Amino acid sequence: MTEYIILIPLGILIFGLTPIVARDSYLNKQQKKIMTEIIGLIFLLVIQNVADYILQTVISMPYLRTLVSIAGYIIRPTIIVFFCKLVKPNGRNLVAWILVAFNAAVYLTGTFSHIPFYIDENNHFQGGLPYIGQTKFVVSFILLFHLIYCTVSEYRRKKTWIWIPIANTVLVMAAVFMDISPLYRDYPVSYLTISIVCCGLFYYIWLHLEFVKEHENALMAEQRIKLMMSQIQPHFLYNSLSSISELCETDPKKAQQLTDDFSEYLRYNLTALSTEKLVSFEKQLEQTEIYLNIEKTRFEDRVNAVYEIEARDFEVPTLTVQPLVENAVRHGICKRSEGGTVTVRSYETDHEYVIEISDDGVGFDMESIVKDGETHVGLENVRARLKYFGDKFEIDSKPDIGTTATIKVPKKKSGKGEKSR
């Protein structure tokens, strides 16, 4: 009876996965349907394996064993096609289904002939006509390569966890070779069946990883929208256009320069919202200078800027420096009647590049970052973007003294394991 112990973990996996899939709100309706069908077929395959083992070692019923064997030869290729459906839901898989039907037709002839195989009167398995008995292997391997094709064609651009379905295919192929090699041991379930059960679990995990990736992309898209709302505020647009309008009468040349700066500001921000790429600090510094020039035109001596730039040749996530400067202007120095100064500083250490944006404005209580999400949404957007790229973000503020925001960008390393920047 010890040989049946293997059924315990397989049973736990199958019966445990069934209600989980049924109640999983993260799978869409089609994914849930395909996974349920796969689990059902896997359960039938395990039952078929056990029945075949009993009919081979305990009870001698050649014709019944023939029927059970035919069921196994039909179920296994069918499961592979369902794996293809899971990987490529919109694929028609017409050729795959034709191969499954052909394979089933070949082995169903075993009910009345010896063409594919037969079980003799002594309950011994006998091969059928040359090559016909290998139909199951040929069809299965064609379907496995089709599964790889579906995986690569569907996910080659996404490159997200593509190795899991490919590894599943390799696992099934390895199990087939083990079943036909000297390594095979006579157990109630074959290595192939065990591998297929494992694949069912791995595909379920893969679906969740894909959901996590899609959810992460959705969050990044939502963050870009929040960034747009925090970066291009209607009152800033209105005030900038009003300043340009006033200058058109008093100082047309300055109005033209401010119009050019304002256009460049809008162009950069709208372009940056559609990308997740890193950009040079030099480029962000240029955009920051444009923004501060616009604000200085509006507020005159109330807005002052100081640049202490020692390091320039490095990259940071787009829309990180200017939002911090804008935050310093809007929520820091402009809340003082006399205004103040924003200082942009950059330097490097042995291990990182450092950017500091400080102001001598009103400052704020650090706990208000958590309590007042609306006021500091720009800070949280920047923090999330920097964290996504592995950079560090720190902020220190004291009421009536000012605020300092610090970005730390790790230097590129030549050693292995360094995240590509």
Side-chain angles (χ1 to χ4, degrees):
M1 295 295 292
T2 56
E3 64 268 23
Y4 291 97
I5 292 177
I6 186 64
L7 295 175
I8 296 176
L10 295 180
I12 292 174
L13 197 155
I14 294 172
F15 289 108
L17 194 58
T18 302
I20 292 175
V21 170
R23 298 176 62 87
D24 194 334
S25 59
Y26 297 111
L27 300 183
N28 61 45
K29 186 175 181 180
Q30 185 178 18
Q31 290 172 333
K32 190 176 294 188
K33 179 177 181 294
I34 296 173
M35 275 300 304
T36 302
E37 291 168 338
I38 289 173
I39 293 172
L41 288 170
I42 289 174
F43 176 71
L44 291 177
L45 183 60
V46 172
I47 295 298
Q48 182 273 332
N49 273 215
V50 174
D52 184 69
Y53 180 78
I54 292 174
L55 291 170
Q56 180 181 350
T57 60
V58 180
I59 304 173
S60 179
M61 300 178 66
Y63 188 72
L64 181 57
R65 186 183 169 195
T66 299
L67 296 178
V68 170
S69 297
I70 291 172
Y73 296 145
I74 295 174
I75 292 173
R76 283 188 282 266
T78 304
I79 292 176
I80 297 174
V81 179
F82 275 95
F83 285 158
C84 294
K85 287 180 61 179
L86 196 63
V87 170
K88 195 171 185 176
N90 297 323
R92 299 182 64 182
N93 296 305
L94 179 60
V95 175
W97 284 119
I98 291 175
L99 287 173
V100 168
F102 172 74
N103 178 77
V106 169
Y107 284 99
L108 283 173
T109 61
T111 58
F112 56 83
S113 72
H114 294 171
I115 293 176
F117 75 97
Y118 66 97
I119 309 298
D120 63 24
E121 62 275 7
N122 296 318
N123 203 33
H124 294 151
F125 180 90
Q126 302 293 336
L129 296 178
Y131 304 112
I132 299 297
Q134 306 304 314
T135 300
K136 57 183 180 294
F137 294 115
V138 175
V139 169
S140 294
F141 275 104
I142 292 175
L143 292 175
L144 287 171
F145 282 110
H146 176 64
L147 176 57
I148 293 177
Y149 166 77
C150 291
T151 302
V152 173
S153 63
E154 187 76 5
Y155 292 93
R156 68 180 183 275
R157 292 185 180 89
K158 299 179 181 179
K159 297 180 181 178
T160 55
W161 308 106
I162 191 174
W163 62 269
I164 293 181
I166 292 178
N168 282 345
T169 306
V170 174
L171 178 63
V172 171
M173 289 182 175
V176 171
F177 284 113
M178 290 181 68
D179 279 338
I180 62 178
S181 74
L183 295 174
Y184 177 75
R185 295 293 182 272
D186 199 13
Y187 290 114
V189 290
S190 65
Y191 293 127
L192 177 57
T193 298
I194 294 173
S195 71
I196 289 176
V197 174
C198 293
C199 285
L201 175 62
F202 294 151
Y203 270 114
Y204 176 71
I205 294 173
W206 173 71
L207 288 175
H208 268 266
L209 291 173
E210 285 298 311
F211 170 81
V212 169
K213 184 64 179 178
E214 291 176 3
H215 184 61
E216 185 180 84
N217 291 337
L219 288 177
M220 292 301 294
E222 181 181 354
Q223 187 186 88
R224 286 197 294 271
I225 294 173
K226 288 182 178 179
L227 213 65
M228 179 176 65
M229 298 302 295
S230 66
Q231 283 305 107
I232 309 178
Q233 295 288 342
H235 74 268
F236 175 72
L237 299 180
Y238 175 77
N239 291 333
S240 297
L241 292 173
S242 296
S243 297
I244 294 171
S245 177
E246 292 174 5
L247 286 172
C248 285
E249 296 182 0
T250 60
D251 192 343
K253 187 174 182 180
K254 192 172 184 180
Q256 181 180 0
Q257 180 59 47
L258 186 59
T259 301
D260 292 340
D261 289 343
F262 186 60
S263 299
E264 177 63 21
Y265 171 86
L266 291 177
R267 186 195 66 78
Y268 177 84
N269 280 277
L270 291 173
T271 301
L273 289 169
S274 63
T275 181
E276 292 301 327
K277 295 180 180 179
L278 296 163
V279 296
S280 67
F281 169 68
E282 185 80 36
K283 183 63 178 177
Q284 292 216 33
L285 187 61
E286 291 176 6
Q287 181 67 6
T288 299
E289 291 173 348
I290 290 173
Y291 167 75
L292 286 172
N293 287 339
I294 295 173
E295 292 292 56
K296 189 167 180 60
T297 300
R298 291 173 53 205
F299 296 105
E300 297 181 340
D301 293 338
R302 290 185 60 207
V303 174
N304 298 290
V306 174
Y307 301 95
E308 299 176 2
I309 309 301
E310 299 177 10
R312 296 174 179 268
D313 189 18
F314 62 98
E315 295 180 326
V316 288
T318 183
L319 287 178
T320 49
V321 178
Q322 184 225 314
L324 295 177
V325 172
E326 184 170 344
N327 192 77
V329 173
R330 292 175 54 199
H331 302 297
I333 61 177
C334 280
K335 288 191 176 182
R336 286 191 186 277
S337 58
E338 69 275 20
T341 301
V342 176
T343 301
V344 181
R345 183 182 297 109
S346 70
Y347 58 92
E348 63 178 302
T349 66
D350 291 339
H351 304 291
E352 58 194 6
Y353 296 100
V354 181
I355 306 168
E356 292 180 357
I357 295 96
S358 59
D359 66 78
D360 55 3
V362 296
F364 58 86
D365 184 353
M366 290 294 291
E367 293 184 0
S368 68
I369 295 180
V370 178
K371 296 178 181 178
D372 189 358
E374 182 178 356
T375 301
H376 300 290
V377 65
L379 295 179
E380 292 308 306
N381 283 335
V382 171
R383 187 190 303 277
R385 293 174 72 78
L386 290 168
K387 183 178 179 180
Y388 180 78
F389 285 97
D391 300 330
K392 299 177 183 178
F393 177 66
E394 300 171 358
I395 188 162
D396 181 53
S397 185
K398 295 179 181 178
D400 299 322
I401 295 178
T403 303
T404 298
T406 305
I407 298 172
K408 295 181 179 180
V409 180
K411 289 186 175 180
K412 296 178 181 179
K413 298 179 181 179
S414 58
K416 294 181 180 180
E418 177 70 7
K419 180 180 177 181
S420 175
R421 294 188 63 84

